[in-house]
Structure formats: C-alpha cells, structure tokens
Amino acid sequence: MTSELQRERLAYKRSRSRRSTLVALLSTAVFAAAVGVTVARAPGWPRVRQSFFNVEIAWRSLPAILEGLWLNLRVLAVCGVLIVVFALVVAVLRTLRGPVWFPLRVLATVYVDLFRGMPLIILLYLVGFGLPALRLTGVPNDFVVLGGAALVLAYTAFVAEVFRAGIESVHPSQVAAARSLGLGRRETMRLVVLPQAVRRVMPALLNDFVSLQKDCGLISVLGAVDAVRAAQIEQARAFNFTPYVVAGLLFVLLAVPTARFADALGRRVERRQGGR
Amino acid sequence: MTEPVLSVRGVVKRYGDHTVLDGISLDVREHEVVTVIGSSGSGKSTLLRCVNLLEELDDGQVLLDGVDVSDPRVDADVARRGMGIVFQAFNLFPHMTVLDNVTLAPRVVHRVPREEAERNALDLLDRVGLADRAGGYPEQLSGGQQQRVAIARALAYSPRLLLLDEITSALDPELVGEVLALVRELAEAGRTILMATHEMGFARQVADRVVFLDGGRLVESGPPEQVLGEPVHPRTRQFLRRIIDAGRL
C-alpha cells in the first residue's frame, strides 16, 4: 500500500504531465495554422500546388510508378544479398595473413580503393553502356542486370570496409582465446570473430541499406523502367511534376522502416555495451 | 625419472629492444602444480603465452611431453590441443551461451558429436557449480562465475597441462575465493598446472613448487615454504617484503 505522501506526489506528477500534453498540442496547432496560412496566402502557392501536389495526376500516375517500384524492390533484394556476400569475402581477404594470399590481399585492396572512390553514375555508364558496346559474348544486355551489377560493384567496396572495421574491432584476446583452444585461423574467423563483427556493424550496415534503397532508382539512367523512369514518363505525359513527388515519397516511405529499425538496433547495442 | 609434461628451455622473448624473457628454463612434471610469482612486468604472463604458442619465441624451446612444439615446422594448432589456458580477463565468447563456450573446442577441433560434447560440458559445469547457467550468456554472469566457465572451457578437451594466467587478478576480492577453491580441487585431483599468480597465500598452500621471476630471469625456484619462507636471493626477499607490506601474505 502506497503512503499518503507518495499518492499525493503521483497525483501532482500526473497533473503536470496532462498539462505538458495540453501545452504541446496547443503550440503545435498554433504553429501548424501559422505555417498553413502563410503558405496558402503566398502568391505562388496555387501554381506550386498545381504542378507538384496535383492529387488527380498523382492518382493517375500511381499504378505505373508502383509497378516501377516493384522492379526497384526486386533489384534491391538481389543486390542486397550479393553485396553482403561479396563484401564479406573481400573483407576477409583483406585480413588474410601469409605469403600465399599476398596477390588476393592486394587485389582486394585495389578493388576497394578503386570502387569506393568512383562516382556511382560513372560506374553505371561504364557498366551499363560501355560493357554492351564491347559486344562480347556472354555479357548480358539487360539494363536492369547491368545496372544491378554496377550497384553491386560500388556497394561491395563500401560494405567490405564496414565489415573490415567490425573484424578489426574484435579484441585480439578473443582470437587468442579461440586459438588457445586449438581452433585454426579459419575456424576462429568463422565462429568467433565474424559473428561478433557482424553484430557490431549492424547499424552501419542498415544505414548503407537505406542508401542502397534509393540508389536503386539510379538504374533508370540506363533506361530501365523503374519507379524513377515511370515517374519521368508520367511527368512528360502530364507536363506536371507531381509524379516525381509521388515516386520520391514512395522511396522515403521505403526508407523509414529501415531507419527506425537501425535506430532501435543501435540503441540495443548501446545498452548492451553500456551494461558491460 | 619420467619425462616432464612441460619443459621450457632457455626461452627468450623480446618486444623490440625490450627483453621480456631472458633465457627461462623450467620443468613441470605430471601432477605437479607450479606457481610463477614476480612483480608486474616480470614476464609471468609472457612466459605462459609463449608456452601456449600465442607468442613466437626469439630463442629456446618449449617441449610438451618431450616434443618440441616451438619448432616452426610443428602445427601449433595441434600442439595447443595438449594445453588449456585461462586468461586474466576470462575472454569468454560473448556471442555464445555458456554451454557453447565450453563445447566449442570439443565439437570443432576434436570432432566430438554435439550430444556427447554437451553431456561432458554439463558435467564440467556441474563441477564448477554452474550447470544451471548453461543456457545463459557470459555477460549475465559475475566475474567469478565467468572465470569458472573459462576454466571449464579449458578443461573440456582434457588437456595434459593447464595454464592459469593470473586468473584472479581481474576479480573483486570476494569472488577470488570461489575461483581459487576450484583450482585447489583441480590440483588435488592430480592436474598438471602452471599458474602465474599474485596470491601468495594460495601459492604457499597449493603449489608443489614456486618459481620467482624478475626482469625476465628465473631468480629462485623451490618448494613454497623455502621460496616464500626463507628466500635466499635478495630480489626475492625485496619482492616478498613489498607483498607483506601491502598485506597480501
């Protein structure tokens, strides 16, 4: 049974928090009204609304854009998996010791340096337009595949560095403990170092994933009919920018859950490390 | 006389210009408990890490059951299977349960089927008094409990030689007892142990032999009552006096 004193204190706290909520609601309403009135009374507003936020055009362009977005999502899924796999391989290659691995180590380093610094748009042009121009047998000429390949090339270099940072953040004493038990280098990497490394870099990886989500829209420069390209077609047809806004908002909507998930994960990692 | 389990011969270890071990020789026989004492920086930990081949020697040999395991042609991973080491900072794997920590080496290195490995591990955890924590993670345990798990992990593949590297130094004073009691049990069960420690009282009670290191050299060696009671070397006396002054003996 709580004491009279504690009950009185709780009642006071409750009344304070009710008051805070009320103040927040009121100030938000005033602020929103002020912004709304200012925007609506601005001289250019009707034209802005007409060319960027036209509900009718938005509705009409939505099916085509959604169909394009479905392509983006498929590219995202395939590229995401390939990037994680290749990046892990590159990161591990860079940590290999021993003379046999020297060429592979150098190759991995050169690859990362090259593709991390290269502007993605140039890479897209080179892979998307340059490769098919060689007319080599076996090179696909599907812009979606080529665009995806360019994305994988660029992002693998980035993500490999994230993984490597994670691998190097695992304390050497963990390796010593594993080796002292008789585990070989490979087993130590696979069973002791990598699981801890991946867990630690998860928030950074999710951040890169958000970045990849929107960069999937860049395959449109090759002519693949994705959400961005579909919006462009709709824009040209209606002579109105609303389709771009629709496509842009869809990408934002896509990124929000990942961003929130990354935040939650980051907080969890922080809590766990703080507790140690 | 039978072959010693461990024979360290003229081991030298340098880090840059600094010579940490300056020609150490030492034998540990079967069922013998040898404690290594000496001030911080005297080379105790380095000696154990050299024996476990975690450090490369700059000279000398480490023989395990008469086999020179410090030879670069010997597979260190295989040689290490004959030894278990417990570290000052526990070094449990934080992403694995207590049970997985203990069964890792038997499963992966010794190819023991999971079921059998887990049965043995639970037996071991029961002996260190932690069978009920098998499904938990290291971070959920106290320091003393973590160190007991680390000992179980080192014992899980029945090594010939157990290396204990200042295993109580990172523990709160009230947790030291539970870990030392476990080591005492192992000693009484006839384990062969080489142990670096600051716990002089414990060394006196449990060790068959005490070895004093100073500046990377083995200064004095003998039964505990002699080395700790009537040391002959001035450096040993000086070290012990400091320990007594600090109230640790």
Side-chain angles (χ1 to χ4, degrees), chain B residues 167-190:
Chain B
I167 57 171
T168 56
S169 298
L171 296 178
D172 291 336
E174 78 266 26
L175 299 177
V176 169
E178 61 187 71
V179 172
L180 289 183
L182 176 58
V183 176
R184 186 192 302 261
E185 248 175 67
L186 295 174
E188 279 161 7

Side-chain angles (χ1 to χ4, degrees), chain B:
Chain B
M1 200 140 185
T2 54
E3 190 91 52
V5 173
L6 172 72
S7 188
V8 176
R9 295 185 187 166
V11 163
V12 175
K13 177 66 194 174
R14 295 187 200 93
Y15 292 115
D17 296 338
H18 181 53
T19 304
V20 187
L21 298 178
D22 195 3
I24 300 267
S25 295
L26 169 80
D27 280 358
V28 182
R29 308 199 161 274
E30 188 143 34
H31 309 310
E32 201 178 19
V33 178
V34 176
T35 57
V36 184
I37 61 169
S39 48
S40 299
S42 59
K44 302 185 299 287
S45 289
T46 309
L47 175 63
L48 293 191
R49 292 176 65 89
C50 283
V51 169
N52 199 228
L53 307 175
L54 291 171
E55 304 284 348
E56 214 171 296
L57 307 187
D58 289 312
D59 204 350
Q61 290 177 303
V62 173
L63 277 70
L64 199 64
D65 283 317
V67 178
D68 181 358
V69 292
S70 56
D71 188 323
R73 279 157 292 200
V74 168
D75 185 347
D77 292 336
V78 175
R80 284 197 197 94
R81 292 175 197 172
M83 310 178 241
I85 188 167
V86 182
F87 302 91
Q88 181 178 343
F90 329 137
N91 298 1
L92 293 176
F93 305 125
H95 60 296
M96 294 183 189
T97 62
V98 166
L99 189 64
D100 284 343
N101 263 280
V102 179
T103 59
L104 180 68
R107 278 189 289 120
V108 175
V109 182
H110 304 266
R111 306 273 168 216
V112 177
R114 179 180 274 273
E115 209 173 297
E116 190 187 330
E118 289 188 347
R119 211 167 41 235
N120 293 341
L122 283 171
D123 272 355
L124 270 170
L125 286 171
D126 190 38
R127 263 165 56 199
V128 303
L130 289 169
D132 56 327
R133 311 307 291 269
Y137 284 86
E139 64 182 16
Q140 298 162 338
L141 304 180
S142 74
Q145 291 173 326
Q146 288 193 45
Q147 197 58 297
R148 278 144 64 196
V149 172
I151 292 171
R153 181 175 72 173
L155 291 174
Y157 47 94
S158 312
R160 291 272 288 149
L161 172 69
L162 194 59
L163 305 166
L164 307 178
D165 184 7
E166 295 191 35
I167 57 171
T168 56
S169 298
L171 296 178
D172 291 336
E174 78 266 26
L175 299 177
V176 169
E178 61 187 71
V179 172
L180 289 183
L182 176 58
V183 176
R184 186 192 302 261
E185 248 175 67
L186 295 174
E188 279 161 7
R191 291 271 175 191
T192 310
I193 298 175
L194 179 61
M195 175 181 192
T197 188
H198 284 295
E199 301 289 335
M200 299 302 150
F202 182 75
R204 185 190 287 259
Q205 290 164 24
V206 177
D208 297 305
R209 203 144 47 84
V210 174
V211 170
F212 175 63
L213 289 195
D214 187 64
R217 288 170 190 276
L218 198 153
V219 174
E220 195 159 350
S221 161
E225 54 274 17
Q226 184 200 314
V227 176
L228 299 172
E230 302 152 14
V232 291
H233 200 283
R235 298 288 302 169
T236 321
R237 284 193 209 138
Q238 199 187 355
F239 171 72
L240 288 173
R241 193 162 323 116
R242 277 208 307 271
I243 298 273
I244 291 166
D245 288 346
R248 306 258 328 239
L249 186 67

